[in-house]
Amino acid sequence: MTQRMDARFAALKAENRPAFVTFVMAGDPDLETAQQIVDGLPGAGADVIEIGMPFSDPMADGPAIQAAGQRALEAGQDMVKTLTLVKNFRKKDDATPIVLMGYYNPIYIYGVDKFIKDALDAGVDGFIIVDLPPEEDEEFCLPAIAKGLNFIRLAAPTTDDARLPTVLSNTSGFVYYVSMTGVTGSALSNPTDIADQVTRIKNHTDLPVCVGFGIKTADDAKRIGADADGVVVGSALVQAVEKSLENGKATANTARAVHELVADIAKGVRAARS
Amino acid sequence: MSGENSLRMGPDERGRFGHFGGRFVAETLMPLILELDEAYKAAKADPAFKEEFDYLLKHYVGRPSPLYYAERMTEHLGGAKIYFKRDELNHTGSHKINNCIGQILLAKRMGKPRIIAETGAGQHGVATATVCARFGFPCTIYMGAKDVERQAPNVFRMKLLGAEIIPVTAGQGTLKDSMNEALRDWVTNVDDTYYLIGTAAGPHPYPEMVRDFQSIIGQETKEQMQEAEGRLPDMLIAAVGGGSNAIGLFHPFLDDRDVRIVGVEAGGKGLDTDEHCASLTAGSPGVLHGNRTYLLQNYDGQIDEGASISAGLDYPGIGPEHSFLKDSGRVEYVPINDEEALAAFQLLTRLEGIIPALEPSHALAEVVKRAPTMDKDQIIVMNLCGRGDKDVFTAAKHLGVDLNSD
């Protein structure tokens, strides 16, 4: 098993603060700018980095992340370039865990075994594959785990207690609790309900439980981070990319806009339990 | 008949037809898919469910649809005898209603009154809006913005029937994007919503369920052919977009190995161009919309847009059972291009006084190629799965006729 994820969560536990998990899209708005964005995330306060693998048909994503994926694809992003992005990041940072997030088809077409090997070589720590539920574990989850990579599962409000053990089996790294029934970037639901759900999941597992979908501000992060082991922010960051563009192209301000927002939300994360 | 070597046994418990099918959905939807699977199994085992389905098919849809011997078409082509399974005479004008009746009864049984659906040409949207009106359920239809434009008569029909139409601009604004959008709706409204998928694709149990509801087409054909000719046909031909009318005709015949079976894909402007929808002939296996199947995609696993004169065939995937039948060699899949379909559309209109939809016009173009090469005592059955009222504007445009200039 790659060690970065467990080491990072253990260190955060010792500090008694939640993890700040940031999501950005590989190749958005172009490969070079995306590299700058990713490279600067740890300095801005990110503890774990999720990198989206763009897909033409992102069924579980809202408009912000759909648009980010489309920008990346239009700029020529593909799976090979996404792995290169990780490889370049690893030259400078060997501690921050990297999770690739996306849909199964691009991996399937790349070739499962080759993708696992290349991802390991690039310095990837784990995967979140939205359309691979436990029922399809043989496809990719089991081969990835066998090679020491983390397979991080989504648990949803519709995942009841009877189903949770199924979802939590073959899961490692952390559990990603989807805060609502909906797509990424929707309105955040009641924080008290979310806290109850985190507690419910923790009754079934020793893994850290991070919460995502709908967390957009430092204040959201502070409230959710009080109970969760980590907060995931994605749509807000890709929207910061979008807002910084001129005629669809990156500006001198693009990477900075993302890093400033990350730094701001990081303050909320760090204040969650103080 | 359905022994070990039967081709009619699929799918297995995991929703696989051989290597194809499956349940590739987000965790939020997985419990719903499992619930649907259970509910469908229970419904299938309940005689009352079948009774109500049969009653509505007979009295509301107008089944059985006739098996019509096309005498003039047969004479014109000078070969095999040609029969049409006339599902275009169904209420709402296509085979889509068969599946909608089955699924709305299931939605009612499951206590999920809000119905959502995707539509391309609008035939499935109209059929869904129709059964929702009949059962008093609210209905939301996702339709690509491009399709809303090119299928205006069907959009108006759906609105008359009380459905809310949501034009989809995400992605490229066609059928696959409508399906993405319907899935996003479902993942958001999990408690009261039933997703009424219109084709034999999507996550298990949809491909099986839609096929079962459409199999009435093939079952009737078998009986009617016995009555008319005292034997099975030599060949079945049907158009495949997602593949629901075709699997409905084919499935009851899969183990009758003497019956040749041909599925016809939309060849658009030709397979040597980017503008076609021939996922089986020109695509490769991948995972989209909950199942593994043949897809039009690039080297990176990004899904390509299909293109066809027929909005109903304009989908870059195909039902997983067709992928299985292709690889097993049981069914032959061939492309027909826009021009050939349009010529067949006109031919049927003139020879038999039947205006077909552009979807079965593709199947007909294949009949036109095959029948002359066959003996006069051989028999072809083609699924005439939709009527062409909705397509007269498109046809006029392609034939260079301005309907406003009269």
Side-chain angles (χ1 to χ4, degrees), chain B residues 107-381:
Chain B
K108 188 178 80 166
R109 203 182 156 95
M110 293 176 74
K112 300 206 180 244
R114 178 177 174 266
I115 307 296
I116 59 170
E118 83 295 335
T119 196
Q123 293 302 90
H124 175 58
V126 167
T128 303
T130 298
V131 295
C132 286
R134 165 65 180 74
F135 283 81
F137 291 174
C139 175
T140 300
I141 306 283
Y142 290 92
M143 188 169 186
K146 225 188 265 177
D147 293 332
V148 168
E149 211 175 290
R150 61 179 170 175
Q151 301 289 337
N154 271 345
V155 173
F156 184 59
R157 287 166 81 194
M158 288 185 271
K159 284 184 181 162
L160 282 175
L161 289 160
E164 180 192 10
I165 314 298
I166 302 189
V168 176
T169 51
Q172 308 297 318
T174 57
L175 180 56
K176 88 175 166 76
D177 304 298
S178 309
M179 204 150 173
N180 292 335
E181 215 52 38
L183 285 164
R184 288 178 188 126
D185 180 315
W186 199 22
V187 92
T188 307
N189 302 292
V190 295
D191 291 329
D192 65 340
T193 298
Y194 184 96
Y195 181 14
L196 207 163
I197 294 185
T199 193
H204 177 65
Y206 283 104
E208 176 190 11
M209 185 165 69
V210 175
R211 175 201 73 198
D212 290 351
F213 292 140
Q214 292 294 2
S215 287
I216 186 74
I217 299 171
Q219 288 156 14
E220 286 176 5
T221 300
K222 239 179 179 177
E223 284 168 25
Q224 290 165 322
M225 188 47 70
Q226 279 299 341
E227 213 170 287
E229 300 276 353
R231 68 180 186 90
L232 294 174
D234 297 282
M235 186 181 283
L236 303 174
I237 299 182
V240 289
S244 72
N245 92 79
I247 202 70
L249 175 66
F250 298 168
H251 194 259
F253 290 92
L254 290 178
D255 288 335
D256 300 304
R257 305 292 172 116
D258 293 337
V259 180
R260 287 182 68 185
I261 305 183
V262 182
V264 183
E265 298 195 282
K269 295 190 173 147
L271 264 48
D272 50 346
T273 72
D274 290 340
E275 297 184 48
H276 64 79
C277 258
S279 349
L280 287 167
T281 337
S284 57
V287 174
L288 178 71
H289 292 151
N291 64 117
R292 177 172 16 239
T293 193
Y294 276 84
L295 300 171
L296 298 178
Q297 55 187 331
N298 74 4
Y299 75 96
D300 192 44
Q302 310 297 335
I303 310 304
D304 288 334
E305 285 299 321
S308 165
I309 188 173
S310 145
L313 301 180
D314 204 345
Y315 179 66
I318 177 80
E321 194 164 9
H322 286 292
S323 294
F324 167 71
L325 292 170
K326 173 195 159 77
D327 280 9
S328 74
R330 176 65 184 97
V331 178
E332 185 187 344
Y333 294 90
V334 296
I336 282 290
N337 67 31
D338 288 350
E339 292 301 317
E340 294 168 314
L342 206 53
F345 171 89
Q346 291 167 276
L347 186 69
L348 184 60
T349 305
R350 293 288 173 88
L351 281 178
E352 297 282 353
I354 298 171
I355 303 180
L358 286 169
E359 292 79 15
S361 296
H362 285 72
L364 185 64
E366 188 63 20
V367 172
V368 170
K369 286 184 182 174
R370 302 248 178 178
T373 70
M374 292 166 69
D375 292 338
K376 290 194 174 183
D377 59 354
Q378 290 189 297
I379 299 166
I380 299 177
V381 175

Side-chain angles (χ1 to χ4, degrees), chain A residues 21 26 36 48 55 60 73 89 109 144 180 194 219 232 234 239 258:
Chain A
V21 182
Q36 285 170 25
V48 176
F55 182 48
L73 290 174
F89 174 84
I109 296 307
M180 65 181 81
I194 295 174
D219 195 43
V232 188
Q239 271 167 333
V258 176

Side-chain angles (χ1 to χ4, degrees), chain B residues 61-68 83-98 123 157 214 217 220 245 348-349 352-361 382-391:
Chain B
V61 175
R63 300 206 74 93
S65 68
L67 183 69
Y68 168 72
Y83 281 85
F84 295 134
K85 180 59 176 165
R86 297 203 55 193
D87 258 50
E88 104 280 10
L89 292 175
N90 292 341
H91 180 41
T92 74
S94 82
H95 70 289
K96 292 290 186 188
I97 190 84
N98 304 328
Q123 293 302 90
R157 287 166 81 194
Q214 292 294 2
I217 299 171
E220 286 176 5
N245 92 79
L348 184 60
T349 305
E352 297 282 353
I354 298 171
I355 303 180
L358 286 169
E359 292 79 15
S361 296
M382 188 204 95
N383 198 8
L384 188 41
C385 63
R387 70 175 79 126
D389 311 33
K390 69 179 175 67
D391 291 319

